[in-house]
Every structure is written in C-alpha cells, then in structure tokens.
Amino acid sequence: MTVTANGPLPSGSYDVAVVGAGVVGCAIARELARRPRLRVALVEAQDDVGQGTSKANTAILHTGFDAVPGSLEARLVREGARRLAAYAAESGIAVEPVGALLVAWDEEQLAALPHLAGKAVRNEYGDTRLIDPPELYEREPHLGPGALGALHVPGESIICPWTTTLAYATQAVRHGVDLHLNSPVSEVSRRDGAHLLTTPRGTLRTRHLINAAGLHADTLDRHLGHHDFTVTPRRGQLIVFDKLARDLVHHILLPVPTALGKGVLVTPTVYGNLLLGPTAEDLDDKRASGSTAEGLALLREKGARILPALLGEEVTAVYAGLRAATEQDDYRITAHPEQAYITVGGIRSTGLTASMAIAAHVTALLADTGLDLGPAKDLDPVRMPNLGDAHPRPHQNAQLVAADPEYGTLVCHCERVSRGEIRDALASTVPPRNLDGLRRRTRARAGRCQGFYCGAAVRELFEGAGA
C-alpha cells in the first residue's frame, strides 16, 4: 500500500494516472484497481482526498428524477444511485432514505410539478406523486405558510460524502493504486508514447491519462490542446444548524429548479444537523470558497419563507463549496484515443451520486483507447466507520468498550467521538494529515462548540501520533 505526500515521485512509468482525488477520481481509481495487471497512480494537488467540491456539498444521494432526459448525466446518475446505495450498505457509509418534497410556492411553480413528474418518468423514476397542501403540511407542519402543493420524491436520500470518497480511496490503495498527495500538475507533455506530468515533487510518467481535476479540468484539458469547455466556479454557500433543529423537518425540502440549479433547499444531514443552502454564484476565482455576508443574508431570507422556525435555531457552522459548472448542461466526458487521454469534466453536484457509474463508463472508454485492461477481479470489501447520527456509536457498544476501553473514553462530547476512533483514523490506510482531515474521518471538532472544548485534546492525540 503506497500513499505519499512528500519526497520525489516514483521514477518508473504507470499504465494509468488519474489526476484529481475527489469523489469521482477516487471512484475511477477504485474501479481500475479491479484490474491487477495495471499499474495505477492517483495524483492529488492537495494533502488529502476529497478536498475540493467533494467535501462541501449538500450530500444528497439523488434519484436523478429531474435530470435532462437522455443526457449522459441522467443515465449515470440513475445507474450510480443504485450502485452507491448498495456500496454504502456494504461499506458502512451512512445513508438515510428520507425522501424529498419539491415545494411549489406560487401558481407557476405549481403548474410545473406535473411536468417534473413526467420528466421523472422519462428518467425511469416512476415513484413521484403530487400532494395537496393538507397532506404537505401534515408531513411538514413547520413549513412556512402559503405553499400550494408539492411533488413527493420518496427515493431521495442523504449520505456521508466524506466517507464515500475515503472508502473509494482506501479500497484503491489496498489493491495496489499509488496515491500521491501534494502533487499539483502544472504542465503536461507527451514524449515517446507517454504523458509526463510536471509537479513540485518531480515528474510522473504514465501511458494513459485521466483528467478528473474538477474545477481545474479545463486547465488540464488545454495542456493537451483541447478547448472544448470552460469551467466557471459556481459557489454554493450553506448554513449548518445545530442538531436541536433536526426535528423541524422530515424530508429534503426542494424548490422548483431553475437554470442555475436546484436552488435553496433545507435538508437534514446524516450527522443530525440541518443544512440551508446553497447559493448559486458564478465567479471567476477558483479559490473563492469563502462565505459572504450577502450570501448568508440571502439564505436566511429564503429560509424564513421555507421554514420560519429554523431562523430561531443556533448555527453550528457556515461553509461554501465551488461546483464545476460549464457551458453545457451535461457532463463533459470525452475520450481522445490518439492521445491516450480521457477528460472527465463538468461533473457538478450530482457527481457524488453518479461516481461509481462514471468510473465504470470511463473504464470502458479507457479500453476503447487501446489499453488492455486485463481480467477484472472483485475487490475485498472495505468497512468504514459509520458517522451517521442515527447509527450506534462505538462508545454505545458495551462489548467493544470491554474489549478496548479506548472506545469508551470520549474526547469530543458534542459528536461523541472516542479516543479509539481517533486512534483508528490516524492509523488508517489513508490517514489524515491535518485536523480538518481528522474531523472528516471522525466528526471530532465538528459539533456545536466547533472544537472549543475538545480542540486541545484532539490536537494532542493528532500530534502524538506523529501525523
């Protein structure tokens, strides 16, 4: 198992290099790990997997009911949802099938609901149902006044995005994929039938190249001479409300979608919080992931209509993520066989749901570029810590605590994280390299005090492990 974060990159040649270790890049690396004949590298600019869009989204496992019928995205979201639901159950990834309500607030939106129900049928999802105001308010009694009806989409779920990305990476590394962190690709050249990737840690050589660079996919594409699309970072700001607000909603509350996306929603999380957001701000700066007073004010204004009682609840955190929007309302996945190169661009908010299907699709394209993949094998299952609030935590397992008292010693009381869980994360296949990475693996410092009480103890354990 090889995970590197410093020092020179290996001097040998890989069969395939995947640039970008977000949820899609990690899913592709995992799929390629099923081909033991291949030597595969997963190359990431930052110091951990899932550091871009994958760590800052609404964490919804979509049905794809409102995708553009017949699009590549529609097919891959539909297929990916089935694959990921099964994988999550196998791997211990937290999922809650809460369902969604697409709420209409005016006559125009109400008139659009039957069209959306028909669109869902064209996307092979036939379980939607129109509901009237009495049933809507029976289901969601805290909903703001004036809603005219809703479309019920029972198949929508919430999921842990951090564990999903980490599970893919863990399985990939355990089956021979080399993960190279802190390796931003600044140049790409082609020589003697191979791609040469220039990074601060040296040059990496690979026969075939897969571009899963997210926000920077267009930049990497241009290094290979292609100008097929431009990524416009679309910022989504979100507000995280305390767990005491969780009982205010029972479903994902969706607005009627617009051209800019699904709009501002209220959704529970598997961690027991409520999310309000996201905004949809097209920017020029691919690093502008900060929150703004204007954005948060807009969210509170929208939230006051959707769920008035929510604004009286305490805010645990705010965050913002950047989505890789392009000129086309679909994924931009293109094979260039003459260059032994595949672009996986324009993967927007549905990328989490579609990730496993995208990986299978890209692997098939890779075979079409002339690479002999060799026979496929099943991967050994991976079992991840379940971070869901609805799932029993280790400190509640008397047998586990009796066998190892470290699981009974809580460090982060807000999120009920034990010393044993922190120890396990620090010794894992893809360990955290900073406190934020540890938080994504354990939830330590992610609760209502944001590390005020446990921060020193968590840091001491992190530094004591030599991380």
Side-chain angles (χ1 to χ4, degrees):
M1 296 187 294
T2 301
V3 180
T4 73
N6 48 58
L9 293 172
S11 58
S13 181
Y14 288 94
D15 296 304
V16 186
V18 181
V19 176
V23 69
V24 170
C26 288
I28 294 170
R30 174 193 172 275
E31 184 66 25
L32 292 175
R34 298 179 60 240
R35 310 287 178 153
R37 179 182 296 177
L38 301 180
R39 189 179 183 210
V40 180
L42 179 57
V43 183
E44 168 56 36
Q46 301 192 61
D47 66 354
D48 200 359
V49 299
Q51 282 278 58
T53 304
S54 302
K55 75 173 183 182
N57 53 49
T58 50
I60 295 174
L61 182 56
H62 296 285
T63 59
F65 77 97
D66 60 346
V68 177
S71 65
L72 179 62
E73 180 180 19
R75 177 172 70 82
L76 295 182
V77 168
R78 186 167 59 244
E79 179 184 337
R82 292 192 292 266
R83 288 177 178 246
L84 183 50
Y87 182 75
E90 171 190 285
S91 305
I93 299 167
V95 174
E96 288 186 50
V98 294
L101 292 170
L102 200 71
V103 181
W105 295 97
D106 58 39
E107 293 293 344
E108 184 179 355
Q109 293 176 5
L110 185 66
L113 294 184
H115 169 73
L116 288 166
K119 192 176 187 181
V121 171
R122 294 197 299 277
N123 282 318
E124 300 182 20
Y125 185 79
D127 292 339
T128 64
R129 184 172 65 89
L130 296 169
I131 62 175
D132 58 18
E135 181 178 349
L136 174 58
Y137 281 97
E138 181 181 352
R139 287 177 172 272
E140 294 291 352
H142 296 286
L143 192 68
L148 303 181
L151 183 68
H152 184 213
V153 189
E156 298 279 295
S157 301
I158 52 177
I159 188 170
C160 177
W162 305 330
T163 311
T164 304
T165 304
L166 186 62
Y168 294 159
T170 297
Q171 240 179 341
V173 169
R174 287 181 180 176
H175 288 84
V177 173
D178 289 349
L179 171 59
H180 300 302
L181 303 169
N182 293 326
S183 302
V185 176
S186 58
E187 295 289 341
V188 181
S189 59
R190 189 160 170 79
R191 186 184 312 155
D192 300 328
H195 296 283
L196 303 179
L197 311 183
T198 302
T199 81
R201 297 179 53 199
T203 300
L204 185 139
R205 182 183 177 91
T206 180
R207 292 168 54 209
H208 291 256
L209 177 61
I210 297 175
N211 171 6
L215 290 168
H216 302 282
D218 57 342
T219 303
L220 189 57
D221 219 34
R222 282 157 176 64
H223 283 304
L224 276 295
H226 303 289
H227 298 266
D228 298 335
F229 64 93
T230 297
V231 172
T232 299
R234 182 169 293 161
R235 181 167 60 191
Q237 302 184 49
L238 298 108
I239 301 175
V240 184
F241 287 88
D242 188 69
K243 296 186 180 193
L244 294 175
R246 175 63 182 85
D247 290 339
L248 290 178
V249 297
H250 307 295
H251 307 74
I252 303 164
L253 301 181
L254 298 172
V256 176
T258 69
L260 282 178
K262 300 184 187 303
V264 174
L265 55 85
V266 175
T267 179
T269 74
V270 293
Y271 319 117
N273 304 96
L274 288 186
L275 284 183
L276 172 64
T279 58
E281 311 157 55
D282 285 346
L283 308 173
D284 296 323
D285 187 352
K286 294 181 179 181
R287 300 167 298 174
S289 59
S291 300
T292 66
E294 295 79 9
L296 299 180
L298 172 66
L299 292 181
R300 294 183 67 86
E301 177 186 330
K302 299 280 189 181
R305 183 179 194 188
I306 301 168
L307 204 69
L310 185 59
L311 298 192
E313 300 292 333
E314 293 196 23
V315 172
T316 297
V318 299
Y319 68 92
L322 298 174
R323 306 188 288 281
T326 68
E327 310 92 326
Q328 181 176 308
D329 193 19
D330 200 358
Y331 296 161
R332 311 301 295 267
I333 301 177
T334 306
H336 302 278
E338 71 286 356
Q339 292 179 302
Y341 169 63
I342 298 175
T343 303
V344 188
I347 311 299
R348 301 167 303 157
S349 57
T350 55
L352 170 61
T353 300
S355 54
M356 298 187 82
I358 292 172
H361 178 66
V362 169
T363 300
L365 291 177
L366 191 62
D368 292 341
T369 66
L371 178 63
D372 181 6
L373 302 178
K377 71 167 188 176
D378 292 333
L379 301 178
D380 295 333
V382 63
R383 193 71 185 174
M384 307 299 292
N386 190 309
L387 302 184
D389 206 55
H391 187 271
R393 300 304 297 270
H395 79 275
Q396 296 171 303
N397 186 327
Q399 289 184 321
L400 182 63
V401 172
D404 188 344
E406 291 283 271
Y407 291 113
T409 304
L410 293 186
V411 178
C412 171
H413 287 263
C414 292
E415 296 296 320
R416 299 168 297 159
V417 183
S418 66
R419 287 177 60 97
E421 292 167 88
I422 293 174
R423 176 201 62 202
D424 292 349
L426 293 171
S428 62
T429 302
V430 185
R433 299 190 178 272
N434 54 45
L435 292 174
D436 285 342
L438 181 60
R439 178 178 60 192
R440 291 191 292 275
R441 286 160 174 80
T442 64
R443 297 277 303 153
R445 297 169 52 253
R448 68 183 311 181
C449 85
Q450 292 288 288
F452 182 84
Y453 290 103
C454 69
V458 172
R459 179 178 290 278
E460 182 178 2
L461 291 171
F462 178 79
E463 293 177 348

